[in-house]
Amino acid sequence: MFTARTGRRRRAAVLAVCALAAGLLPLTTAGPAAADDPAPVPVDRFEGEVPFAAQPAEGIFTWGSDTDDNPKLEFKERADAPEGAKVLEGSYDISGYGGFSHDYAADRPAHDWSAHRGVRFWWYGDGSGRKLTFEIKDGGAHGEASELWNTTFTDDFSGWKQVELPFTQFAYRTDYQPVGGIDHVLGLDAMWGYAVTLPVGSKSGFAMDHVELYGKADQSLRAQVATDAAVYPVREGGSAEVKLSVTTTGNVPVEDAVTVEYATEGGTAGPGKDYTPVSGKVTFPAGTASGATKTVTVATTKDRERAESAETIPLKLTVTGAKAPAETPQVVVDAHGLPYLDAKLPVRKRVADLVSRMSLAEKAGQMTQAERGAVGTGGDVAAYDLGSLLSGGGSTPTPNTPQAWAKMIDGFQLRAQATRFQIPLIYGVDAVHGHNNLTGATIMPHNIGIGATRDPELAEKSGAVTASEVRATGIPWDFAPCLCVSRDERWGRSYESFGEDPALVRSMETMIQGFQGRADGSDLDRGDKVLATAKHYVGDGGTAYGSSTTGTYTTDQGVTTVTRKELEAVHLAPFDDAVKRGVGTVMPSYSSLDVVGDAEGPVKMHGNSAMINDELKGRLGFDGFVISDWNGIDQLPGDYASDVRTSVNAGVDMVMAPYAYKDFRDDLVAEVKAGRVTEKRVDDAVARILTQKFRLGLFEKPYADTSRIDEIGGAAHRAVARRAAAESQVLLKNAGGVLPLKKSQKVYVAGSNADDLGNQTGGWTITWQGQSGNVTDGTTILQAMRKAAPDTTVAYSKDASAATDGYDVGVVVVGETPYAEGVGDVGNGNDLELTAADKAAVDKVCGAMKCVVLMVSGRPQLIGDRLGDVDGLVASWLPGTEGDGVADVLYGKRAFTGQLPVTWPKSEAQLPINVGDTAYDPQFPYGYGLTTLTKVPAGGERTLASLARAARHVHDATAGRALVARARLIVQEKAGGRVTAGWAKPFADADQLSLGGDYAGAIGKLVAAYRAA
């Protein structure tokens, strides 16, 4: 993807500015205080009594999506200050997100705000009409590990005005929580401060003064009534049991009686015809324990209609003495008797029947995908007939457990049951190397490592493990695999590619079968399969360095300039295979395509009708649906209505509009009514989407099948990941047979990536960008080495500062820290050089003893200047959570068998450099990889000739590649580590030919390399 994007990257951004867009609250201005109100309690006077500081001290501090988004603050004397002499003044120019916080001291107790009605402050308005978010923090250990609750106010006035925000208006944030939920109850007796999120847009400023607590609290601040669900589906003639509960802050008994009056009224069901009306009142007397429940029964009746769509029965609740539920619960009489509900009918007939019944608004809703964090508890799923939700990178439930994922997604699916035709949601996630948003899931090597294995069977198994873990949490759709052919390692997404050669990428597409099962889609309804996504269509791996216009990116989302022949041979070929494998969805790239000679110039892929409608759906015959990338249509030229029109007419069937889902749906409806998008185009898109929902079995089983939930992160799945990690290791140098290590050797381990699971797993791990440290459950390379050998033989000093005397061999594990997408582009604060600390560790250890250097990275790192001082060099890529796989090859439990999936350059000046280039003089060629535990065939060129003869008569891929592999070992041994341009080019060409099925041609190239060695 998607996989993430500028918007997603900014997803945290939309953090607060958009978080409550669905329920903006009116501005409350200060009124006269009641006689028995407690005296106001100051929080901030901005006279300097609270300094600019950050935790653990008490203080005011700024934050933002980048340094430019942090507002500038000062305490400034003003004659018009509402209170005291100074106010807080600030200026800002925010493109992502930004604001400021006041946190109480972390080493002192939280504050108690429970005696008060709300918080108020003076704000100097500019009349812009922009909305700002005010957030309060409760519970947890301190202000940055607390629950977040927020509301909004509107700057629609000029000059000073006192803004009052009653605590009853604050809502729990569903889009983001720093540590996950604590208890989801606004605990005003344990407050840690507040924050203000400033609006995105034009440069502006603000002034604020005298934040204080005001008014007297009432019980509605400490007690609330809730229902056990928002939607209660029942079969016609059945009864719904609506459970009402009362809870209090601190779980204390209610002080005063709480009453709930209820009545069935409104909705689409007919009283007396479809259900028996009910009304009445229930009372929770004073002293009732927190958590007490009472039940209201709503009985439906059977009518004479044999076939009906779903009908709703709202149960209106009027609460006295406590906070009422956030929304009115609805009983839903299930749709029944309609042809599309008949699982025995062919899918095409079910689809045709359902599409024929839907309104334009319902169809547009099916074409809309929203981010889970934007829809809160999910009321908009029914209100906007949404067809899909997603979790972007790092968008997780709280707690981040398999059970919580399943419960969350079931809750959203329940919302879809309140729509007229009860069309289930299709929920998607970027599980690009395992269920990587889920803590404790099995994390596979990134695709570049899978490409290094040259093992199609293993690629399929890794896809199957991912699919099983994803589906077990209720998610039926994965935005993977990435079929990009990475042509420049400066690209921040290069590790998402299987390699630089389309033949290698195509060979790894067995992963699609791992995800989906059989190509005809007949396995999709299984509890261990998911719908796959081929991305990013087309040419994203070929974007030119410096061509990106997205922020500070240099390569990602740029322009791919190719001839038509190059386009078909390099970038289109993998998608042709994916279509033949039955891939269910395809995602366009953010990038632009410029086909030489077509006179069109660069065309954004999200609006490229020639490539989506004509090529993908026409010539290639793709019958699934096309899903846009995160806010991908926003990058098209023109206004938003134009973006909608252009992308849908170009063939995009579902639009990922994470926070703009209302605008997309409404604008699409308007475009159709205006005749700028045909309803035929909409019907085609909806039919494609519904086809996959039926194939997935979602109409029959919309909720999570958790029968495999205990397998997530289990031994069987981790064994596959361990094997993948082992096979992905590429041995580039092995002077003096330094590898494999012996368990009896005393080993000195150093380097930044030896004991860092976050660096080892890379980007797209728990969060979009990933992060260093202990981010999930797994085994670091150091831990694995200590498991493989006696504890006394493996010592560790991260920076190599410990004494190096007395060791037999050193292992220095260095490389990159996590990144994703354009954030990782070289030139965007990144390069291909080791850090100074890593270089120092290599120099010290390799200067003191025999040494092996492991490169844990998403792309080649430049080490040519140190290569002569290194005995062993391993490209470890990003091996995932199973460091044991790396230890397996280091200690000889498994042989090194990996081959380079990309060319390893000598210098950054050589980039881009790829197999097949006319001038080709790399540090190590594509396909290179030494082995251990394998005897090299004797006989030299005579044996090569014999292998060449045998290859002319081989048509089986396994046998043919085995012949080439034997020849490759002979040629590598002859070279003895001396890589010259004359040797490297035919050697790399051989691997490309072998992957393409020309085994005799491959060995012929290897003979040429042998003679050049």
Side-chain angles (χ1 to χ4, degrees):
M1 214 184 2
F2 116 116
T3 63
R5 352 350 335 331
T6 282
R8 167 195 327 273
R9 324 177 162 87
R10 304 203 174 201
R11 159 227 302 296
V14 273
L15 257 187
V17 177
C18 300
L20 296 180
L24 299 175
L25 300 168
L27 177 68
T28 304
T29 56
D36 59 348
D37 279 358
V41 174
V43 176
D44 266 323
R45 298 182 62 235
F46 303 121
E47 301 296 315
E49 76 285 355
V50 178
F52 292 119
Q55 293 204 319
E58 178 174 6
I60 298 168
F61 61 94
T62 62
W63 39 265
S65 54
D66 55 45
T67 55
D68 292 338
D69 284 346
N70 283 34
K72 307 298 185 292
L73 303 182
E74 64 174 322
F75 300 130
K76 187 171 183 179
E77 290 192 12
R78 285 179 54 151
D80 64 346
E83 189 276 336
K86 296 180 181 179
V87 302
L88 179 69
E89 277 198 4
S91 61
Y92 59 92
D93 183 8
I94 299 170
S95 59
Y97 65 94
F100 62 93
S101 297
H102 173 181
D103 278 3
Y104 292 137
D107 57 358
R108 303 192 66 182
H111 291 214
D112 187 349
W113 293 3
S114 62
H116 296 274
R117 180 170 182 263
V119 61
R120 66 189 179 196
F121 49 88
W122 289 91
W123 190 266
Y124 195 88
D126 61 9
S128 65
R130 294 195 287 185
K131 298 187 184 301
L132 298 96
T133 299
F134 192 93
E135 184 168 85
I136 57 178
K137 311 177 177 192
D138 84 293
H142 51 73
E144 296 306 291
S146 57
E147 264 184 1
L148 306 180
W149 297 73
N150 55 20
T151 186
T152 61
F153 66 96
T154 304
D155 189 348
D156 57 1
F157 52 90
S158 298
W160 287 110
K161 190 171 190 178
Q162 192 174 36
V163 178
E164 289 191 349
L165 302 174
F167 291 133
T168 52
Q169 291 184 347
F170 284 81
Y172 179 81
R173 281 188 61 172
T174 57
D175 63 326
Y176 171 77
Q177 289 288 343
V179 294
I182 296 168
D183 59 10
H184 294 206
V185 175
L186 180 55
L188 293 168
D189 56 345
M191 300 303 298
W192 288 104
Y194 69 88
V196 175
T197 300
L198 298 164
V200 176
S202 59
K203 186 175 181 180
S204 189
F206 72 93
M208 185 181 191
D209 199 17
H210 200 57
V211 183
E212 66 179 6
L213 308 175
Y214 75 95
K216 180 183 178 180
D218 58 41
Q219 182 169 276
S220 63
L221 288 174
R222 301 187 300 274
Q224 61 182 10
V225 170
T227 58
D228 58 327
V231 178
Y232 297 83
V234 295
R235 292 186 177 182
E236 187 183 54
S239 294
E241 303 291 326
V242 180
K243 187 179 294 184
L244 306 173
S245 62
V246 61
T247 57
T248 62
T249 300
N251 290 319
V252 299
V254 296
E255 296 178 5
D256 303 311
V258 175
T259 61
V260 184
E261 296 182 61
Y262 60 88
T264 49
E265 58 179 65
T268 58
K273 173 178 176 290
D274 297 309
Y275 68 95
T276 302
V278 296
S279 61
K281 181 171 70 174
V282 298
T283 300
F284 296 93
T288 298
S290 178
T293 62
K294 294 183 181 292
T295 300
V296 175
T297 301
V298 179
T300 68
T301 57
K302 288 192 174 184
D303 56 27
R304 296 181 180 180
E305 300 291 336
R306 297 181 60 184
E308 293 179 290
S309 57
E311 298 168 313
T312 58
I313 310 166
L315 183 65
K316 182 179 179 181
L317 303 176
T318 303
V319 179
T320 302
K323 187 176 181 179
E327 58 187 301
T328 299
Q330 293 189 83
V331 176
V332 179
V333 183
D334 286 339
H336 56 277
L338 300 172
Y340 77 88
L341 295 170
D342 186 354
K344 296 179 181 178
L345 289 177
V347 167
R348 59 181 177 79
K349 289 189 175 181
R350 299 177 75 182
V351 169
D353 176 68
L354 181 50
V355 172
S356 72
R357 299 175 186 277
M358 297 169 68
S359 69
L360 175 58
E362 288 168 329
K363 293 173 184 176
Q366 284 300 300
M367 295 172 67
T368 307
Q369 183 181 66
E371 154 67 33
R372 60 161 284 279
V375 300
T377 56
D380 279 354
V381 169
Y384 287 85
D385 297 290
L386 298 179
S388 180
L389 294 180
L390 84 151
S391 280
S395 179
T396 66
T398 50
N400 188 359
T401 63
Q403 294 78 7
W405 276 91
K407 181 180 178 181
M408 175 187 72
I409 293 166
D410 283 355
F412 290 134
Q413 290 287 16
L414 183 63
R415 295 290 190 158
Q417 296 300 300
T419 60
R420 192 161 62 119
F421 297 115
Q422 298 181 304
I423 302 173
L425 293 165
I426 180 169
Y427 198 102
V429 67
D430 281 286
V432 299
H433 64 141
H435 196 351
N436 43 252
N437 271 343
L438 171 63
T439 301
T442 305
I443 305 300
M444 298 285 172
H446 269 295
N447 281 356
I448 194 167
I450 298 296
T453 70
R454 297 298 200 280
D455 189 338
E457 178 195 12
L458 184 57
E460 181 173 352
K461 286 183 176 180
S462 69
V465 167
T466 298
S468 177
E469 297 198 1
V470 168
R471 194 68 182 259
T473 57
I475 300 170
W477 185 14
D478 188 359
F479 304 130
C482 187
L483 301 184
C484 52
V485 182
S486 176
R487 307 293 284 176
D488 191 334
E489 279 65 60
R490 290 172 292 189
W491 186 36
R493 305 193 77 138
S494 58
Y495 64 74
E496 294 186 49
S497 172
F498 292 116
E500 69 186 33
D501 175 16
L504 174 57
V505 174
R506 294 169 72 181
S507 73
M508 294 294 106
E509 288 187 48
T510 50
M511 188 176 283
I512 293 173
Q513 263 55 68
F515 287 135
Q516 293 194 168
R518 286 174 285 192
D520 62 1
S522 59
D523 289 336
L524 284 172
D525 61 351
R526 285 172 39 178
D528 61 347
K529 295 299 174 189
V530 295
L531 198 66
T533 306
K535 65 184 188 184
H536 303 90
Y537 184 80
V538 58
D540 58 331
T543 51
Y545 183 82
S547 66
S548 181
T549 57
T550 299
T552 56
Y553 296 2
T554 61
T555 310
D556 191 34
Q557 305 184 22
V559 180
T560 298
T561 302
V562 288
T563 64
R564 178 70 198 189
K565 183 178 180 180
E566 289 171 325
L567 174 65
E568 292 187 2
V570 176
H571 300 292
L572 263 176
F575 288 92
D576 187 8
D577 279 19
V579 170
K580 292 172 182 174
R581 288 181 176 277
V583 72
T585 62
V586 170
M587 181 179 291
S589 173
Y590 285 119
S591 57
S592 300
L593 183 64
D594 187 0
V595 180
V596 176
D598 69 358
E600 294 290 332
V603 180
K604 279 284 185 183
M605 279 307 308
H606 278 80
N608 198 328
S609 178
M611 293 307 301
I612 300 175
N613 282 326
D614 301 342
E615 188 74 26
L616 178 65
K617 293 181 175 180
R619 188 177 75 85
L620 299 186
F622 175 61
D623 63 0
F625 70 89
V626 175
I627 170 69
S628 86
D629 209 332
W630 180 285
N631 284 334
I633 72 169
D634 295 27
Q635 296 189 13
L636 297 174
D639 59 18
Y640 196 68
S642 171
D643 296 344
V644 172
R645 175 172 67 251
T646 300
S647 59
V648 172
N649 284 336
V652 176
D653 301 305
M654 180 184 285
V655 167
M656 191 184 295
Y659 291 87
Y661 58 92
K662 297 177 187 178
D663 293 336
F664 171 76
R665 197 202 73 155
D666 292 348
D667 281 6
L668 177 56
V669 169
E671 290 298 301
V672 175
K673 289 181 177 179
R676 292 184 286 267
V677 175
T678 67
E679 192 149 3
K680 181 180 179 182
R681 165 79 269 265
V682 170
D683 285 353
D684 172 63
V686 174
R688 288 169 176 269
I689 294 164
L690 293 177
T691 295
Q692 301 301 344
K693 290 187 176 184
F694 280 117
R695 286 176 173 172
L696 286 162
L698 295 177
F699 281 82
E700 288 70 49
K701 296 179 180 180
Y703 304 115
D705 175 0
T706 58
S707 60
R708 291 182 173 85
I709 210 164
D710 291 340
E711 297 175 10
I712 294 175
H717 289 179
R718 290 185 183 272
V720 175
R722 179 174 181 167
R723 175 185 162 193
E727 290 191 26
S728 72
Q729 303 299 293
V730 180
L731 182 58
L732 299 174
K733 183 177 181 181
N734 194 25
V738 66
L739 290 174
L741 303 174
K742 300 177 178 62
K743 292 185 179 181
S744 59
Q745 288 178 304
K746 295 195 68 175
V747 182
Y748 185 103
V749 180
S752 60
N753 288 349
D755 195 33
D756 194 306
L757 196 61
N759 292 353
Q760 186 175 305
T761 52
W764 287 108
T765 306
I766 308 304
T767 60
W768 169 45
Q769 288 293 314
Q771 65 185 61
S772 302
N774 190 24
V775 297
T776 187
D777 300 334
T779 305
T780 68
I781 293 171
L782 173 68
Q783 291 168 339
M785 291 178 67
R786 285 177 165 166
K787 287 166 62 178
D791 291 345
T792 57
T793 66
V794 178
Y796 173 58
S797 175
K798 181 176 180 179
D799 60 359
S801 60
T804 56
D805 298 336
Y807 293 93
D808 300 309
V809 64
V811 174
V812 192
V813 189
V814 295
E816 296 184 304
T817 54
Y819 56 82
E821 304 188 41
V823 175
D825 282 353
V826 167
N828 187 20
N830 306 284
D831 56 38
L832 301 181
E833 297 281 350
L834 296 179
T835 65
D838 276 349
K839 289 178 179 178
V842 171
D843 291 345
K844 181 174 181 181
V845 175
C846 295
M849 64 191 83
K850 291 190 299 181
C851 75
V852 177
V853 174
L854 273 60
M855 289 288 191
V856 173
S857 61
R859 53 197 167 193
Q861 303 292 285
L862 302 176
I863 195 174
D865 58 342
R866 285 172 169 76
L867 191 56
D869 301 322
V870 169
D871 299 289
L873 178 63
V874 178
S876 289
W877 310 115
L878 299 169
T881 51
E882 307 313 298
D884 288 316
V886 180
D888 285 344
V889 292
L890 289 178
Y891 279 96
K893 184 174 182 179
R894 298 181 66 99
F896 276 94
T897 57
Q899 295 175 247
L900 285 180
V902 295
T903 300
W904 199 285
K906 290 180 177 178
S907 69
E908 194 171 318
Q910 287 186 309
L911 298 174
I913 181 171
N914 294 287
V915 58
D917 289 353
T918 302
Y920 190 72
D921 185 19
Q923 188 85 69
F924 299 104
Y926 170 80
Y928 190 81
L930 306 174
T931 190
T932 53
L933 310 183
T934 301
K935 187 175 181 179
V936 176
E941 196 164 348
R942 291 194 309 277
T943 302
L944 287 175
S946 174
L947 293 170
R949 287 192 296 272
R952 296 190 192 102
H953 306 289
V954 168
H955 303 289
D956 175 73
T958 301
R961 290 176 184 174
L963 292 173
V964 174
R966 293 178 65 195
R968 185 173 63 85
L969 295 180
I970 295 171
V971 174
Q972 285 184 160
E973 183 181 59
K974 173 75 180 305
R978 297 179 299 276
V979 177
T980 64
W983 181 88
K985 182 170 175 53
F987 182 91
D989 291 343
D991 197 57
Q992 189 177 45
L993 290 171
S994 176
L995 286 165
D998 184 358
Y999 310 115
I1003 294 178
K1005 290 287 185 180
L1006 288 171
V1007 170
Y1010 184 89
R1011 291 169 178 170

